[in-house]
Amino acid sequence: MSDQVLFSIDDAFEQLSPNQSPEQPALEASTPSSSTFHRYHIETQTTPDIAPFPSKFRVRVKKHGLIGMLLKELVEYRGNFQVALSRPCVYGVFSRSVGGLAPREELCVGCLRCTVQYPNIVQIYPNPERQRLGDSFVKPDYVDTIMYEARDGRVPVRGAGYRGLFGGEGWDGLWTDMSEIVRPTRDGIHGREFISTTVDIGEKPAFLRFDEQGEVVGSIPKVITTQVPFLFDVPTYTAQSKLLLPILSEAARQIETLVVVPIQSVIELSLTGEHVVPLVAPESLSWLDQGSWSPRMIMFDGWDQECFEALQRRFPGSIVCVRVPMDTNLVELAQQGVRVFHLTANYHGYAGDRFVIDLILQAHQTLVDAGVREEVTLIGSGGIVLAEHIPKAIICGLDAVALDVALAVALQARFSGECIDREMASLSFPRLNTDWGVQRLKNLAASWRDQLLEVMGAMGLREVRRLRGEIGRCMFQKDLEREIFCELVEEGSGA
């Protein structure tokens, strides 16, 4: 190879800015001057619910018993109204002028102090309407957590500590390394040390080849840099309204990430911009003729080699991402030139009868064994509904995740039955307001990013790209149980 020069792609990137690829600039930062350095930050603002949200508890007061008790105390305390009308709730459940006759159930936290003091008068019950939120996978507690994050953009912290199980099915069977006591200075939230959440999505060849004239021979890097390791996936068919899609698009633009939108909606709603990724299928390729711009990334739904190659020829400067089920053989597609994959599972996190954890691990390891993992970008969606699921999915092998149901919950969507897949899921939204919806999604993104920073800070990692495939930073419940109890099971069966 006397007429060519071969060197690592890492050497080539040293001559580029951290957020820029040779082909395309990074997503524009939302600052007045791009030459002025600024630390990435998502602005949060308290954004109350636009529709009534059911309280967690129901407060049942026996009104006749309460009135009788008050009259008795007035006599006992000789008409001292201040003492007789004092209320046992420090959270203000009985703070109205009529006190317990009209309790403020939305303030009840279930401490049961009132029930302990006056069991014959006050009883606290779980609100059945609250228990019907979400579905069998997106549990009411998940909905409650997402709503809290979307209102204020804060990290949900319980003063009494976590009161749930420390293991279970799905994502609960994967535990992350949280040894922050050993590495306390890796704190990206409070600014003592910056932790990067930037990810690169695109084609990253292992080497650049140059001829004697210095011209590139072969493939070159085409990368989009996003400031967070999550993008917004296309919503369900029932939720693709003229109000929802612009909200997702504008929120993605302000967060400096990407949003996947069906090509028909891109054209009809004029949703253009570097952050918009049109979703096309073989039957909708003709819609691309109506677009007057060249998208930075195109997502192709399914696999058709002729259509894939036609898209590459037509948009040589664009990244073509292939959207396929998570149990697809990726090595075969990688050998045919695919470098960006969007791996999909249903909204409950299953592809067939396997959960996404096993599928992501398998996809990642298969590409590692084939020697092409560093050249490929893996995006995954399905079953990711809490902030903790993002680092867990990246640890298993994804570069970035695509959010779906969690975004709908943040916008107060109500489920009609089980929300399993994009084709059959039925979601209903309140009357959406664009500014309200954009801020809710920004709050959610800020909260989730802060929680990601907490996880990486505890691990001593300074950038999220180093978290990918780092399974040494996690523990699998089933593996630990096998190691601990297998001998006991064998002895028991032998006996």
Side-chain angles (χ1 to χ4, degrees):
M1 299 180 62
S2 59
D3 60 336
Q4 295 181 350
V5 180
L6 190 66
F7 63 94
S8 171
I9 189 65
D10 294 332
D11 298 331
F13 273 120
E14 289 182 359
Q15 302 179 14
L16 304 174
S17 64
N19 295 328
Q20 185 175 351
S21 69
E23 277 291 307
Q24 299 285 354
L27 292 177
E28 291 295 333
S30 55
T31 55
S33 174
S34 58
S35 61
T36 303
F37 171 79
H38 73 288
R39 177 171 289 187
Y40 178 75
H41 177 68
I42 302 175
E43 294 294 336
T44 62
Q45 181 179 346
T46 300
T47 311
D49 301 335
I50 202 171
F53 190 67
S55 60
K56 184 175 291 188
F57 299 100
R58 284 289 179 87
V59 182
R60 292 288 180 260
V61 178
K62 296 181 179 179
K63 298 179 181 179
H64 293 90
L66 175 61
I67 293 174
M69 184 190 71
L70 292 177
L71 294 176
K72 179 180 177 181
E73 289 185 348
L74 283 173
V75 174
E76 182 178 351
Y77 295 107
R78 300 180 180 181
N80 190 332
F81 283 90
Q82 185 176 1
V83 174
L85 298 180
S86 62
R87 302 292 175 253
C89 183
V90 298
Y91 297 100
V93 176
F94 311 116
S95 60
R96 286 197 175 103
S97 57
V98 292
L101 299 178
R104 303 175 64 182
E105 295 179 330
E106 68 276 7
L107 299 180
C108 182
V109 299
C111 69
L112 301 181
R113 177 189 173 189
C114 55
T115 299
V116 171
Q117 287 189 270
Y118 305 101
N120 298 327
I121 297 177
V122 184
Q123 292 292 325
I124 308 297
Y125 301 97
N127 188 349
E129 186 178 352
R130 186 71 162 261
Q131 298 301 313
R132 289 193 290 268
L133 294 174
D135 61 7
S136 60
F137 185 80
V138 185
K139 302 173 184 178
D141 287 343
Y142 294 0
V143 175
D144 193 48
T145 299
I146 295 172
M147 293 289 287
Y148 177 89
E149 295 163 338
R151 289 189 194 103
D152 299 301
R154 296 183 295 181
V155 175
V157 178
R158 295 178 176 87
Y162 176 68
R163 290 173 282 184
L165 299 175
F166 285 91
E169 298 294 327
W171 295 110
D172 292 336
L174 192 161
W175 307 330
T176 58
D177 173 16
M178 296 294 288
S179 305
E180 190 166 2
I181 190 172
V182 181
R183 298 176 287 270
T185 59
R186 306 279 186 174
D187 197 339
I189 293 180
H190 302 293
R192 290 197 287 267
E193 181 172 340
F194 181 71
I195 297 177
S196 172
T197 56
T198 299
V199 295
D200 300 320
I201 299 174
E203 305 175 16
K204 296 165 282 188
F207 297 94
L208 289 180
R209 301 175 186 271
F210 293 85
D211 58 21
E212 294 180 348
Q213 288 72 38
E215 298 295 331
V216 177
V217 178
S219 60
I220 60 176
K222 288 189 293 186
V223 176
I224 296 176
T225 299
T226 63
Q227 296 297 325
V228 287
F230 50 83
L231 51 97
F232 296 167
D233 200 8
V234 59
T236 66
Y237 287 119
T238 59
Q240 294 178 18
S241 67
K242 294 182 179 181
L243 291 177
L244 178 61
L245 291 174
I247 289 175
L248 295 176
S249 176
E250 179 60 20
R253 187 191 68 81
Q254 295 189 27
I255 296 170
E256 300 180 48
T257 186
L258 304 173
V259 58
V260 182
V261 182
I263 183 61
Q264 300 94 319
S265 300
V266 171
I267 302 301
E268 294 173 354
L269 302 178
S270 300
L271 299 177
T272 60
E274 296 180 344
H275 61 288
V276 176
V277 178
L279 175 66
V280 299
E283 61 273 12
S284 61
L285 286 175
S286 59
W287 283 85
L288 289 172
D289 298 333
Q290 303 182 39
S292 58
W293 92 109
S294 179
R296 300 189 64 196
M297 186 167 83
I298 301 172
M299 186 170 290
F300 183 66
D301 196 359
W303 172 244
D304 185 296
Q305 186 173 0
E306 293 183 2
C307 293
F308 174 75
E309 294 175 351
L311 286 173
Q312 286 186 316
R313 289 192 300 269
R314 182 173 178 181
F315 301 98
S318 301
I319 299 169
V320 180
C321 172
V322 174
R323 184 186 183 102
V324 291
M326 199 166 283
D327 53 359
T328 302
N329 187 339
L330 303 184
V331 176
E332 293 182 0
L333 299 185
Q335 292 172 347
Q336 299 181 58
V338 182
R339 288 297 179 264
V340 183
F341 295 94
H342 183 167
L343 309 179
T344 62
N346 66 28
Y347 291 155
H348 286 191
Y350 284 89
D353 58 351
R354 302 179 64 190
F355 193 69
V356 291
I357 289 180
D358 298 326
L359 294 168
I360 296 171
L361 288 169
Q362 176 182 303
H364 173 74
Q365 190 59 47
T366 300
L367 294 172
V368 170
D369 295 338
V372 295
R373 182 62 187 94
E374 295 299 331
E375 303 177 35
V376 172
T377 299
L378 293 184
I379 304 169
S381 64
I384 300 172
V385 294
L386 291 178
E388 67 188 58
H389 298 168
I390 293 179
K392 289 181 178 181
I394 296 175
I395 285 175
C396 290
L398 293 182
D399 293 280
V401 303
L403 307 182
D404 37 51
V405 175
L407 304 178
V409 174
L411 298 177
Q412 291 196 264
R414 300 300 294 267
F415 291 38
S416 179
E418 291 291 320
C419 184
I420 298 179
D421 53 47
R422 189 160 61 100
E423 291 75 19
M424 303 300 295
S426 179
L427 300 175
S428 60
F429 290 83
R431 187 178 297 275
L432 296 176
N433 175 277
T434 300
D435 293 338
W436 175 86
V438 170
Q439 189 59 56
R440 293 274 289 199
L441 297 183
K442 289 176 62 179
N443 289 346
L444 182 71
S447 176
W448 284 24
R449 180 175 182 268
D450 281 350
Q451 293 175 70
L452 176 62
L453 292 175
E454 290 277 12
V455 172
M456 290 194 297
M459 294 180 180
L461 296 178
R462 298 186 63 178
E463 61 172 341
V464 72
R465 285 173 286 201
R466 295 187 179 273
L467 186 64
R468 188 199 69 191
E470 190 66 56
I471 58 174
R473 300 285 188 178
C474 70
M475 297 170 285
F476 296 92
Q477 180 183 353
K478 60 181 181 181
D479 294 339
L480 295 176
E481 290 178 344
R482 187 184 305 112
E483 294 175 6
I484 296 172
F485 299 114
C486 65
E487 296 181 1
L488 298 177
V489 173
E490 292 175 357
E491 292 177 1
S493 60

